Amino acid sequence: MTKLSDANFDPKAIFPDEVVTHAHVRDVELPYGAGTMALITLDNGLDHNRPNSFGPQGLAELDAALDAILQRDDVAAIGLTGKPFILAAGADITGMPRITTREQALAIARYGHYVFGKLDAGQNGGKPSFGFINGLALGGGLEVVLHCSYRTVITSAPAVAFPECFLGILPAWGGTWLLPNLIGPDRAVKVIIENALNNNRMLRGPEVAELGIADASFDGADFLERSIDWAAQVITGRIEVTRPPIDRGDAWDAAVARGRAFVENKLHGAAPAPLRALDIIAAAKTCSKAEGFAMEDEALADLMMSEEFRSGLYAFDLVQRRAKKPVGAPDTALARPVTKVGIVGAGLMASQLALLFARRLLVPVVMTDLDDERVEKGLSYVRNEVDKLAARGRINADMANRLKALVTGSTDKSIYSDCSLVLEAVFEEMKVKQQVFEELEGIVSPECVLATNTSSLSVNGMASKLRHPERVVGLHFFNPVAVLPLVEVIRGERTDESSLATAFAVAKQLKKNAILVKDAPAFVVNRVLTRFMGEVTKCVDEGTPAEVADRALLSLGLPMSPFVLLQLVGPAVALHVAETLHEAFPDRFYVSPNLQRLVAAGKPGLWSWDDKGQPYIDEDTRALLEVGSQASTEEEVRDRALMAIADEVRRILDDGVVAEPQDVDLALILGAGWPFHLGGITPYLDRTGIAERATGRRFLPRGVASVPASSG
């Protein structure tokens, strides 16, 4: 079956909004007497902000273009490239939620193989093909060139990757079989599995060449001309392309085993896609291309009907659409220009923020603290991080010097007098923060926005003693600042539109995703996580072994277990947030006496790690703990924790802390790294029935982030 119509697949009905990527063909006379190349340029007619993608109509255009080329006797070779800066961003996923049957999913998988296969010289009558990776190439955008005989890549390519396993599917238009047979299983596991599950890591141009995905790399604006010249030399024998032989012995099996161990450690069986991909990589050691492609077809058909993939699509849409247009954000025209930033504090969080503001805004950033030693420690952190960026080639020497010059410090708060925005990042104590803002109000200009990075305290409370509380806004960043992209923008009762607009504009300049949050204890992410952690720690206090409680949530595929998260956040911070929320909602938020004991003893957390990286509780820590005799099973701990999360999410929504369930999901994905296959959390709570058990109703309408009822 190669025609989509054979599977009751109406492209315009299933993909009504497809932006068709056209396949423009022109003849290029090759040098060295190599003959004529039919060069296909993929172009959807839009700028680089709207990448090319492969929907059914786009695939049909490429199919027709290849058919026309292959009927010509005067064509010596086929070339394929993309519009400026973009080859293709893979399959068009906009219509995938409308694919309602397994038969339709199987049809789109087979059609991609059928079209791309016409680039294979072994299938097209012997015409060599050349894929010229001129920029971004993701998923199907990388697969299409893997079908080519040869490939070049531009060194400035910013993103080449297979993100499919991140979304809950796998490279199913040839990538899962072709890549290990091109570069070996070890490297293929890295690209298809490890990079995808490590926050969707992308390859840059030089890495693409180093891994052997591309046979040659060129830089500069003349990339295409140089690639065509190189292709002509390959055709005429002036250049011989050699590739190292693939080891099909025990090394192949070892690479697959390593991949399986990685997936188990990362997801603990929570999502099927990576394991299906590894099955095909394992089979690719001996099976034929046709057999491998058939396995890809079947796997894609199964995975597209899975709840994990539907949740992945939902999460992807949140990150790509909702995050870029925050609900409730004021008109950007109201934002004030920010020409100088102040950071109150010079601790680790403050220093991370100082570097972020300097690097993204390229404006002067000033820090203060209680004494010169603290200030110097903060500045040293910034300088050391800048040096690391330079050493990794992320910035050049001139930029490194500029950033170091932009960040300065003092013990005198008068340096804030000409700041446009001052952000406090001091100890989480209301009286301390109120005092900071009272001091600042006497120093800064009337136009200066005063912001707080509080993780749990009331923005209204901080502004309550000011003459102008309307300029106070919350900007809650997440640790580590350079990694987590979320900013909770907290609007106080009296925050004005201009201050709020400035906060959103600054978040965007910082390349962060902002969500609007009402001033409420611990806002969204910390409120959900604290309720969840409270239930887990309560189980331990009652008598559940810590090892059992910590394993209980692994089956969700969360980025880390509860007590590893506790270690990252720090027991003192976790305790402070728990106490703040307990004070606000004493019936729901538990304060663990054992957590209090860990903090009092200065312990960094519950776990120590042995030389094999396995966690254990040392004797001193175990001696601190006082536990009861009522032990729960893993299943009981998990159920209690998820019921608590569902209850708290419902209360957050009922209290109007955020506009919709989608904002809770977006916050957990971007602020806590919760996986796409959960959709954040509410799709999972809906499909498992926990939402209705805990709250009496679903969070999302049926059909949103779930498999259609007619699937089969």
Side-chain angles (χ1 to χ4, degrees), residues 423 450-454 459 472-477 487-492 495 500 503 515 517 523:
L423 175 68
L450 300 180
T452 171
N453 184 46
T454 182
V459 174
V472 177
V473 64
L475 275 175
H476 179 213
F477 295 83
V487 176
E488 291 177 331
V489 176
I490 301 103
R491 181 174 199 162
T495 305
L500 195 65
I515 62 169
V517 180
F523 318 121

Side-chain angles (χ1 to χ4, degrees), residues 197-521:
L197 299 184
N198 278 329
N199 295 316
N200 209 12
R201 183 184 179 275
M202 307 284 171
L203 301 172
R204 296 178 181 272
E207 294 175 285
V208 175
E210 288 166 13
L211 287 171
I213 297 173
D215 301 300
S217 61
F218 304 105
D219 56 13
D222 59 349
F223 163 76
L224 184 57
E225 289 76 10
R226 294 173 68 184
S227 292
I228 290 171
D229 183 89
W230 178 86
Q233 294 188 64
V234 171
I235 293 169
T236 58
R238 285 172 167 79
I239 291 176
E240 182 181 357
V241 175
T242 59
R243 297 171 184 145
I246 303 298
D247 185 344
R248 297 184 184 275
D250 293 342
W252 192 294
D253 301 328
V256 173
R258 179 175 60 79
R260 294 193 192 281
F262 176 86
V263 171
E264 173 58 25
N265 184 59
K266 198 81 172 177
L267 296 178
H268 304 281
L275 294 177
R276 290 294 292 269
L278 284 163
D279 288 344
I280 299 172
I281 293 172
K285 175 181 177 181
T286 56
C287 77
S288 68
K289 181 187 291 187
E291 291 169 333
F293 286 5
M295 289 182 69
E296 290 181 351
D297 293 337
E298 296 295 328
L300 184 67
D302 289 340
L303 294 169
M304 284 184 68
M305 294 296 105
S306 71
E307 298 284 5
E308 291 81 8
F309 176 58
R310 299 291 161 155
S311 291
L313 285 179
Y314 164 83
F316 182 79
D317 185 70
L318 292 182
V319 171
Q320 293 298 311
R321 297 177 189 269
R322 195 177 185 92
K324 290 178 170 55
K325 294 183 178 179
V327 175
D331 190 337
T332 55
L334 298 173
R336 300 168 190 160
V338 174
T339 57
K340 183 179 178 181
V341 174
I343 307 288
V344 184
L348 178 59
M349 190 71 174
S351 301
Q352 291 181 71
L353 290 167
L355 176 58
L356 176 69
F357 276 91
R359 191 177 178 202
R360 298 302 185 202
L361 271 61
L362 293 177
V363 299
V365 178
V366 292
M367 291 193 295
T368 66
D369 215 313
L370 297 175
D371 54 54
D372 290 332
E373 183 178 352
R374 286 184 173 91
V375 172
E376 181 53 36
K377 186 176 181 180
L379 293 175
S380 294
Y381 172 87
V382 172
R383 290 192 289 264
N384 289 337
E385 291 301 306
V386 169
D387 287 339
K388 291 177 185 176
L389 290 170
R392 293 198 297 265
R394 302 290 297 276
I395 57 175
N396 60 30
D398 288 342
M399 180 55 71
N401 290 332
R402 183 179 180 185
L403 291 176
K404 290 177 184 179
L406 283 173
V407 182
T408 58
S410 174
T411 56
D412 183 358
K413 290 188 178 67
S414 66
I415 61 173
Y416 298 133
S417 61
D418 57 346
C419 284
S420 313
L421 180 146
V422 179
L423 175 68
E424 71 77 20
V426 300
F427 182 68
E428 282 284 282
E429 214 309 304
M430 178 60 78
K431 290 182 179 179
V432 174
K433 292 180 182 289
Q434 286 176 333
Q435 181 181 349
V436 165
F437 277 136
E438 286 184 90
E439 286 185 69
L440 289 172
E441 193 171 40
I443 296 170
V444 301
S445 70
E447 294 77 28
C448 180
V449 174
L450 300 180
T452 171
N453 184 46
T454 182
S455 60
S456 61
L457 299 178
S458 169
V459 174
N460 294 328
M462 289 179 217
S464 62
K465 297 187 177 183
L466 300 182
R467 297 188 304 277
H468 297 287
E470 67 276 3
R471 58 165 154 182
V472 177
V473 64
L475 275 175
H476 179 213
F477 295 83
F478 291 81
N479 193 27
V481 171
V483 175
L484 292 174
L486 181 69
V487 176
E488 291 177 331
V489 176
I490 301 103
R491 181 174 199 162
E493 289 178 359
R494 299 180 64 181
T495 305
D496 63 26
E497 292 290 296
S498 179
S499 299
L500 195 65
T502 304
F504 275 99
V506 166
K508 186 174 182 179
Q509 287 178 280
L510 295 174
K511 298 186 178 180
K512 298 293 184 181
N513 298 119
I515 62 169
L516 180 62
V517 180
K518 188 177 83 171
D519 188 26

Side-chain angles (χ1 to χ4, degrees), residues 563-695:
F563 293 130
V564 174
L565 175 63
L566 177 68
Q567 206 105 355
L568 175 67
V569 171
V573 173
L575 177 62
H576 174 76
V577 176
E579 290 173 339
T580 300
L581 282 162
H582 178 75
E583 185 177 346
F585 310 113
D587 59 325
R588 303 200 310 274
F589 285 87
Y590 175 72
V591 177
S592 165
N594 280 318
L595 180 57
Q596 292 174 322
R597 294 183 186 99
L598 288 176
V599 173
K603 292 289 183 180
L606 193 64
W607 296 132
S608 297
W609 276 267
D610 62 24
D611 54 5
K612 295 182 180 179
Q614 296 301 309
Y616 69 96
I617 302 175
D618 65 41
E619 292 183 8
D620 289 343
T621 301
R622 196 174 292 278
L624 291 172
L625 304 180
E626 296 182 10
V627 299
S629 58
Q630 185 179 342
S632 298
T633 65
E634 287 185 25
E635 292 75 16
E636 290 168 336
V637 174
R638 181 167 56 253
D639 190 64
R640 285 173 58 174
L642 290 171
M643 290 285 284
I645 290 173
D647 178 69
E648 201 58 40
V649 171
R650 173 54 60 199
R651 292 172 186 272
I652 286 170
L653 294 170
D654 290 347
D655 293 346
V657 179
V658 290
E660 295 178 304
Q662 288 87 338
D663 293 311
V664 175
D665 293 323
L666 187 62
L668 288 172
I669 291 166
L670 298 179
W674 281 37
F676 270 42
H677 68 256
L678 294 182
I681 188 60
T682 67
Y684 179 82
L685 296 173
D686 280 347
R687 73 173 183 251
T688 55
I690 293 169
E692 292 184 82
R693 282 173 53 210
T695 73

